[in-house]
Amino acid sequence: MSFRDFLKTGKLGAISPDMTMTEIVTVLGTPEHADPDYWTFGKLEISFDVEAPRQMNWFQIEEAGYLKGDLEVLTNRLALSLDGFSGKTKPSQFLDAGLWAPNQVKIFYAASGDDILLNICAGPVQIHFRVDANLKDGQDAETYLSNVPMSQLIMKIDSQAVLDSIYSYPHPKTEEVPGAFNWKLLSGSHYLILAGRR
């Protein structure tokens, strides 16, 4: 199956985020690790609702930063053609690949302790990045985000961002949960301009 198709649709071949636990067993068999509501199949991890019919909350490709080559085997029944993408693909490269209309994509970034997090939300797909600590020149992340001009900030974040994981939800992921992080929002189009790709 195609990584490009997964990013556009949120479906990973026969795996769709609207499936139930029983349907996943039919497609993938029994998991390597099964908590009552969290299953793992290699790099593929799935969260289920605790109530019947055990509907999927989301699935993710964990440790996506290690994706490389032409093909990634996710489970013994599931392989992914990477279509030129890898764990080194930068946020701007995903946005510039023609997968989604950039003005319909939302980019969220925030400080989290010493780290900077960045998420691309495009329909049911959310791509998580973390930013190399060397970016901050010894400052804590919140201070860094507040003090660096936006024109420089996004270029630096984009160049240092490392792919972490990719989630697929049964509904469009259009906002981040507030609270622990002070999320800042950009459109995909604005992000590309600030990253120097437009």
Side-chain angles (χ1 to χ4, degrees), residues 83-106:
D83 300 326
F85 296 101
S86 75
K88 296 190 182 301
T89 303
K90 299 301 179 194
S92 61
Q93 293 171 311
F94 280 109
L95 293 171
D96 212 20
L99 299 165
W100 324 282
N103 62 344
Q104 295 176 344
V105 176
K106 294 185 177 184

Side-chain angles (χ1 to χ4, degrees), residues 105-109 150 154 184-188 190-191 194:
V105 176
K106 294 185 177 184
I107 310 297
F108 293 90
Y109 66 96
M150 182 69 78
I154 297 305
K184 294 169 181 54
L185 170 65
L186 292 171
S187 70
H190 194 196
Y191 183 93
L194 293 170

Side-chain angles (χ1 to χ4, degrees), residues 65-66 115-119 128-132 157 160-164:
Y66 292 106
D115 298 322
I116 297 172
L117 308 177
L118 183 138
N119 297 336
H128 292 235
F129 295 86
R130 57 184 166 72
V131 178
D132 189 331
I157 286 175
Q160 300 282 330
V162 176
L163 184 59
D164 183 59

Side-chain angles (χ1 to χ4, degrees), residues 28-45:
L28 292 179
T30 56
E32 293 173 8
H33 175 78
D35 285 340
D37 59 350
Y38 197 84
W39 287 7
T40 60
F41 299 86
K43 287 184 177 144
L44 182 67
E45 300 184 5

